C-alpha cells in the first residue's frame, strides 16, 4: 500500500492575509512619518524645489589660425560668465579651432541658445549654424541673431578707435563732439570681412551709420577684406575724394584677431583700431541676444533664428 504524503502546514486564510497587508501599510506610514523628523524629534523642513536649469548659452565663434583669436574669444566668454554666473556658457567654433560647434552640441543635453559671435547675416548664419543644429536632434535649440548691427557694437568700435589714437573728447554734436576742430576733415573706414550675401552688406552699412552717429557725424564707409566691394584701400580713396583725407582711421569690425583683421589694418593710412575682442559692451550684447532669443520664440527643432 502506497503511503500518502504527509500534509504540510495549512495555507494562511483570508483574514491572515488582510492582517499582514495591514501591518505592511502601518509600517510604511510610520517610516514615512519618522523620515520627516530630525534625530531630536523636531520636524524637518521640506527641501526646496530644484530650480529649473536655464538653457545653455553657446557662443559660436568663427575660428582662426591666429592663436590670439582663441584667447580673445575665451576672454569674451569668461566676461559673459561673469555677467551671468547663473547661466551655463559654452564655446563652439564654426571651423579651425577646438572645440568645434558640433562637438560642443554633442556634449550638451536639454535646451540651448546659440549666440553667434558673428557681426551680420550671411552664409554661416543662414546655412552652417542651422546645419549644425540639425545634426544635434537630441537638443531643443534656438538661434539668436548675430551680434550686429547694434548700438553696443558702435560703442565698442568707438572705444577701440579711441585706444588707437582717435580724439576722445569734444563739443556738442555726439560722443566725439561733432565735426568741429580736428575732426572736420576726418573719416573712418569700417573694415569688415565681406560677404556676397546682400543682408550681410546691409548689416555692415547699418553699423557704419551707427558708428558715424556715435562719432558725431564723421563719415564712416564700409571697406571689405574679401568677397565684396569696396576694399579698405578703395574706401580710403573715396574718403580722400570727399575731402576727408586729413585724418582717416580704420575701425576693425572683427570679433577677434585674424588674417583679415591684420590685412585691413595694414591698409590704414594712419591709425587702425584693434578688433572688438572682449570689450564689456560686446559681452553685454551677447547676453542681450541670449535673452532676446528666449523672449522671442519657443524652443524648437530645427533651429529658429530670432531677434534679427
Amino acid at each position: 500500500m502506497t503511503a500518502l504524503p504527509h500534509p504540510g502546514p495549512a495555507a494562511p486564510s483570508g483574514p491572515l492575509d488582510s492582517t499582514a497587508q495591514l501591518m505592511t501599510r502601518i509600517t510604511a506610514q510610520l517610516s514615512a512619518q519618522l523620515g520627516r523628523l530630525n534625530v531630536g524629534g523636531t520636524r524637518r523642513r521640506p527641501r526646496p524645489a530644484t530650480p529649473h536649469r536655464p538653457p545653455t548659452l553657446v557662443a559660436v565663434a568663427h575660428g582662426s589660425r591666429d592663436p590670439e583669436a582663441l584667447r580673445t574669444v575665451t576672454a569674451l566668454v569668461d566676461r559673459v560668465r561673469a555677467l551671468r554666473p547663473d547661466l551655463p556658457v559654452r564655446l563652439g567654433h564654426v571651423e579651425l579651432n577646438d572645440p568645434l560647434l558640433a562637438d560642443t552640441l554633442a556634449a550638451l543635453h536639454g535646451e540651448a541658445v546659440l549666440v553667434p559671435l558673428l557681426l551680420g547675416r550671411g552664409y554661416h548664419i543662414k546655412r552652417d549654424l542651422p546645419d549644425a543644429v540639425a545634426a544635434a536632434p537630441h537638443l531643443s535649440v534656438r538661434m539668436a541673431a548675430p551680434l550686429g548691427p547694434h548700438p553696443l557694437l558702435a560703442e565698442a568700435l568707438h572705444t577701440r578707435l579711441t585706444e588707437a589714437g582717435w580724439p576722445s573728447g569734444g563739443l556738442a554734436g555726439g560722443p566725439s563732439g561733432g565735426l568741429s576742430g580736428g575732426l572736420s576733415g576726418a573719416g573712418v573706414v569700417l573694415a569688415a570681412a565681406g560677404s556676397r550675401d546682400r543682408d550681410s552688406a546691409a548689416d555692415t552699412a547699418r553699423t557704419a551709420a551707427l558708428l558715424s552717429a556715435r562719432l558725431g557725424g564723421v563719415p564712416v564707409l564700409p571697406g571689405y577684406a574679401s568677397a565684396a566691394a569696396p576694399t579698405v584701400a578703395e574706401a580710403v580713396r573715396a574718403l580722400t575724394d570727399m575731402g576727408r583725407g586729413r585724418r582717416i582711421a580704420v575701425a576693425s569690425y572683427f570679433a577677434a584677431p585674424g588674417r583679415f583683421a591684420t590685412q585691413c589694418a595694414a591698409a590704414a593710412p594712419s591709425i587702425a583700431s584693434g578688433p572688438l575682442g572682449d570689450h564689456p559692451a560686446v559681452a553685454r550684447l551677447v547676453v542681450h541676444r541670449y535673452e532676446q532669443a528666449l523672449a522671442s520664440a519657443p524652443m524648437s527643432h530645427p533651429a529658429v533664428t530670432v531677434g534679427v
Side-chain angles (χ1 to χ4, degrees), residues 59-64 66-81 89-95 97-99 115-118 147 254-258 275-279 282-283 286:
V60 185
H62 182 278
S64 172
D66 188 327
E68 192 61 31
L70 180 57
R71 287 191 286 269
T72 299
V73 295
T74 299
L76 175 60
V77 169
D78 287 343
R79 196 179 288 274
V80 171
R81 290 190 179 106
V89 180
R90 300 292 183 268
L91 175 64
H93 293 88
V94 176
E95 58 182 358
N97 289 120
D98 291 328
V115 181
L117 305 182
L118 306 172
L147 297 184
F254 298 95
L276 296 164
D278 65 337
H279 190 284
V282 180
V286 171

Side-chain angles (χ1 to χ4, degrees), residues 138-222:
H138 63 291
L139 292 176
S140 296
V141 179
R142 295 181 226 199
M143 197 169 81
L147 297 184
H150 196 277
L152 284 171
L153 291 181
E155 177 185 336
L157 287 164
H158 185 193
T159 300
R160 295 299 187 224
L161 280 171
T162 301
E163 292 169 350
W166 186 266
S168 58
L171 306 173
S176 286
L179 300 180
S180 61
L183 298 182
S184 59
V188 173
V189 175
L190 182 67
S195 171
R196 294 181 179 89
D197 192 296
R198 292 181 179 180
D199 288 335
S200 177
D203 290 344
T204 303
R206 175 59 181 155
T207 300
L210 290 170
L211 180 57
S212 176
R214 177 88 188 183
L215 298 176
V218 172
V220 178
L221 298 183

Side-chain angles (χ1 to χ4, degrees), residues 38-54:
N38 292 316
V39 176
T42 59
R43 181 175 291 272
R44 293 177 181 171
R45 293 182 179 179
R47 294 180 180 178
T50 302
H52 174 69
R53 177 185 174 88

